[in-house]
């Protein structure tokens, strides 16, 4: 761990070897926030927080939704409660056309066919992937996609994975055209940068000379294609005259992957003598996916709204979370004060999103991962396995296990790479943060009470 921690801190937005001109277009026309957090280092709970504005443990979703038996073993719900107040439903009730195109993973797939359709959460139209129900894009030769096909309940488009984002973009643009003259709220959630990375062979060939690591070659290729498809979507909005009055948000749902096989010698070509490491970049933050260190939960975030949000600005102070988007976007859309019309754990940060002065949070951010029974996916690099709970208040971040062991304390303003544990020097502060965090966790110990 000491060796890994000694690496210098970079820029979480820095790109290595891959040009992303279309993502850059969003950043150049808006604000980058460098203290943006997802509410979980894994997909399902991260998405629940964004859609509900609440901590995902309120809905008994603390890890990825798997098959029904695995969910029961881990005290997990099989799907998001359809009675939950969702951001799409609020926009829909206020006259917006609402669509979801891309990864869902809040119910459906494996043996879960009898689950709510995305329309039950407020979406007029949806096109999801194998971890959802309804119309969906499936990949030939993939076991989970084959399982999904047997569930029925929707039209299935079979396509190679590297074509999936173009299909989602086409569907999203067609949806906007069909609802011309009507305001829209839309999710475009591509899945191709989620491993396995399966790029088009011609695009992959461009990166063979860029890096010798075969996993990184594939990742660079799919990232290149993702950026191109984002450009197609932006150009489509512009062609329809919608770009100038559309709020664009760009973010991720967790840090980069860290499966054990990325470190295993037998998973590389014979004779490969290069460094073995997983693809993806954390900007020097410690940890990766499935970790509560910064590299697992702190991700890029860009927002653009021409004429309303200043261009080319970076906010290095405001601490944002995915669950803040619900109340904040409600306010930006002029539907009323976001915190007044919905009950959420997230805060209305619209003033900061509009480029006002950086905001201080009213309450700290807290996380849980892997403290529930039944096991969780953990990083392949053992150094990245974090304590199971975390809290950030101001510049301070404390991590601790649910049984009160393994506490670590960092000053993120002075030490964003989490290299210097200040637990012994700041025992009183650590005790206060630990007490608040453990009390918060105890409120969710009964997984059968999502409204706790």
């Amino acid at each position: 761990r000491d060796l890994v921690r000694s690496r210098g801190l970079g820029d979480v937005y820095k790109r290595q070897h891959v040009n992303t001109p279309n993502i850059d277009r969003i950043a150049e026309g808006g604000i980058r926030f460098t203290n943006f957090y997802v509410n979980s280092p894994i997909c399902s709970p991260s998405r629940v927080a964004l859609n509900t504005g609440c901590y995902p443990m309120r809905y008994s979703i603390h890890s990825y939704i798997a098959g029904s038996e695995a969910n029961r073993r881990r005290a997990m719900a099989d799907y998001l409660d359809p009675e939950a107040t969702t951001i799409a439903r609020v926009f829909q009730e206020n006259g917006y056309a609402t669509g979801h195109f891309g990864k869902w993973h809040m119910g459906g797939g494996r043996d879960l066919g009898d689950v709510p359709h995305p329309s039950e959460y407020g979406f007029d139209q949806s096109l999801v992937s194998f971890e959802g129900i309804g119309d969906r894009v499936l990949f030939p030769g993939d076991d989970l996609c084959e399982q999904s096909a047997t569930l029925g309940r929707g039209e299935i488009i079979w396509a190679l994975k590297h074509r999936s984002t173009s299909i989602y973009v086409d569907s999203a643009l067609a949806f906007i055209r069909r609802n011309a003259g009507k305001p829209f709220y839309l999710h475009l959630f591509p899945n191709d940068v989620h491993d396995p990375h399966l790029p088009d062979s011609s695009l992959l060939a461009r990166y063979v000379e860029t890096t010798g690591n075969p996993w990184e070659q594939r990742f660079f290729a799919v990232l290149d294609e993702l950026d191109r498809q984002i450009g197609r979507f932006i150009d489509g909005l512009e062609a329809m005259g919608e770009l100038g009055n559309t709020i664009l948000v760009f973010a991720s749902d967790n840090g980069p992957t860290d499966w054990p096989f990325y470190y295993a010698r037998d998973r590389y070509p014979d004779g490969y003598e290069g460094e073995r490491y997983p693809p993806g970049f954390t900007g020097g933050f410690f940890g990766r996916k499935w970790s509560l260190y910064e590299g697992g939960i702190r991700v890029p975030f860009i927002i653009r709204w021409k004429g309303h949000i200043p261009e080319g600005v970076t906010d290095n102070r405001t601490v944002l979370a995915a669950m803040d988007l619900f109340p904040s976007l409600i306010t930006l859309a002029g539907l009323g004060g976001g915190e007044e019309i919905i009950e959420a754990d997230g805060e209305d940060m619209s003033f900061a999103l509009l480029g006002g002065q950086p905001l201080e949070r009213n309450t700290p951010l807290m996380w849980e991962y892997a403290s529930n029974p039944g096991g969780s996916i953990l990083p392949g690099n053992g150094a990245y396995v974090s304590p199971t709970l975390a809290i950030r208040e101001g510049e301070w971040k404390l991590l601790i296990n649910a049984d009160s062991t393994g506490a670590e304390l960092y000053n993120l303003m002075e030490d964003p790479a989490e290299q210097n544990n200040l637990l012994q020097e700041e025992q009183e502060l650590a005790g206060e943060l630990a007490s608040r965090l453990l009390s918060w966790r105890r409120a969710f110990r009964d997984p059968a009470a999502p409204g706790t």
Side-chain angles (χ1 to χ4, degrees):
R1 178 178 292 185
D2 291 339
L3 176 64
V4 178
R5 285 188 185 278
S6 69
R7 295 179 180 173
L9 181 70
D11 178 356
V12 71
Y13 291 86
K14 178 181 177 183
R15 57 186 184 275
Q16 297 179 322
H17 308 301
V18 182
N19 289 322
T20 55
N22 295 296
I23 298 173
D24 292 351
R25 286 167 63 188
I26 304 175
E28 290 162 2
I31 304 179
R32 305 185 312 163
F33 288 84
T34 62
N35 284 273
F36 176 79
Y37 291 92
V38 289
N39 294 102
S40 177
I42 197 167
C43 41
S44 296
S46 179
R47 292 161 189 274
V48 165
L50 184 147
N51 278 275
T52 66
C54 294
Y55 285 117
M57 292 172 66
R58 290 194 182 279
Y59 299 100
S60 299
I61 297 177
H62 52 81
S63 187
Y64 75 102
I65 294 176
S68 57
E69 181 178 347
N71 293 337
R72 282 193 296 273
R73 186 172 65 247
R74 297 174 299 149
M76 278 272 296
D78 286 337
Y79 50 83
L80 174 62
D81 182 354
E83 297 300 315
T85 301
T86 63
I87 186 169
R89 183 174 291 121
V90 171
F91 274 108
Q92 185 184 59
E93 290 172 349
N94 282 274
Y96 280 65
T98 54
H100 178 102
F101 303 91
K103 182 169 179 175
W104 178 255
H105 213 171
M106 295 190 296
R110 293 151 173 102
D111 66 336
L112 301 176
D114 186 19
V115 301
H117 188 277
S119 61
E120 296 180 56
Y121 300 96
F123 290 101
D124 297 326
Q125 183 178 335
S126 62
L127 182 65
V128 300
S129 65
F130 60 90
E131 290 164 323
I133 208 70
D135 295 349
R136 51 200 185 273
V137 179
L138 302 180
F139 316 134
D142 180 272
D143 287 345
L144 290 177
C145 287
E146 298 289 347
Q147 290 179 42
S148 175
T150 67
L151 300 176
R153 296 196 62 197
E155 179 183 347
I156 293 173
I157 300 172
W158 289 98
L160 296 175
K161 190 177 183 184
H162 69 259
R163 289 195 57 243
S164 61
T165 300
S166 65
I167 294 171
Y168 292 135
V169 167
D170 289 344
S171 300
L173 291 174
F175 172 78
I176 296 170
R177 291 189 194 98
R178 282 195 301 274
N179 289 280
K182 193 175 183 181
F184 62 87
Y185 174 79
L186 183 144
H187 288 169
L188 179 60
F189 287 178
N191 202 33
D192 42 1
V193 292
H194 187 298
D195 57 7
H197 305 124
L198 302 173
D200 178 78
S201 58
S202 62
L203 193 54
L204 176 61
R206 298 183 192 177
Y207 293 97
V208 170
E209 298 301 323
T210 303
T211 173
N213 185 316
W215 304 114
E216 195 168 47
Q217 292 168 3
R218 298 178 188 182
F219 175 73
F220 287 166
V222 298
L223 180 58
D224 187 321
E225 175 65 8
L226 172 64
D227 183 77
R228 190 166 70 87
Q229 295 301 331
I230 288 174
R232 287 186 60 234
F233 181 68
I234 295 173
D235 291 343
L237 288 176
E238 190 166 30
M240 288 185 278
E242 297 284 0
L243 184 58
N245 195 35
T246 297
I247 301 172
L248 293 177
V249 174
F250 177 88
S252 179
D253 66 343
N254 47 243
T257 186
D258 203 60
W259 290 110
F261 66 77
Y262 287 123
Y263 303 94
R265 182 173 298 278
D266 62 359
R267 298 299 294 268
Y268 287 78
D270 291 341
Y272 177 77
E273 298 296 334
E275 186 180 359
R276 299 184 300 279
Y277 57 89
F281 182 63
T282 67
F285 294 127
F286 189 68
R288 294 175 72 90
K289 186 174 182 178
W290 310 310
S291 171
L292 293 181
Y293 293 121
E294 295 289 278
I297 54 176
R298 189 165 166 180
V299 301
F301 179 88
I302 308 167
I303 184 167
R304 167 182 168 171
W305 188 14
K306 189 173 180 63
H308 299 268
I309 289 176
E311 299 183 3
V313 173
T314 299
D315 183 328
N316 292 315
R317 296 289 303 183
T318 302
V319 177
L320 289 170
M323 65 185 182
D324 298 332
L325 291 181
F326 192 163
S328 301
L329 291 177
I330 293 298
T331 298
L332 292 181
L335 303 183
E339 291 179 333
E340 298 171 6
I341 66 173
I342 60 169
E343 293 184 9
D345 295 311
E347 298 184 18
D348 184 346
M349 306 296 282
S350 55
F351 181 75
L353 295 179
L354 285 172
Q357 292 298 314
L359 286 180
E360 298 293 329
R361 301 191 65 83
N362 296 319
T363 57
L365 286 175
M366 289 179 267
W367 293 266
E368 180 281 338
Y369 182 67
S371 73
N372 272 279
S376 300
I377 302 174
L378 298 176
N381 181 343
Y384 296 154
V385 177
S386 68
T388 60
L389 305 174
I391 180 173
R392 175 166 182 179
E393 183 166 33
E395 62 193 40
W396 293 97
K397 179 181 176 186
L398 177 106
L399 302 99
I400 193 170
N401 289 310
D403 64 0
S404 300
T405 63
E408 303 174 23
L409 180 69
Y410 301 100
N411 184 309
L412 293 180
M413 295 300 293
E414 299 177 358
D415 179 27
E418 296 171 294
Q419 298 183 52
N420 185 22
N421 183 359
L422 298 176
L423 185 70
Q424 295 305 315
E425 293 86 342
E426 299 284 349
Q427 292 187 36
E428 182 176 353
L429 173 63
E432 293 172 358
L433 292 174
S435 177
R436 297 183 70 176
L437 180 57
L438 292 167
S439 295
W440 171 82
R441 175 65 186 88
R442 281 192 293 272
F444 298 107
R445 289 198 79 81
D446 178 5
T452 301

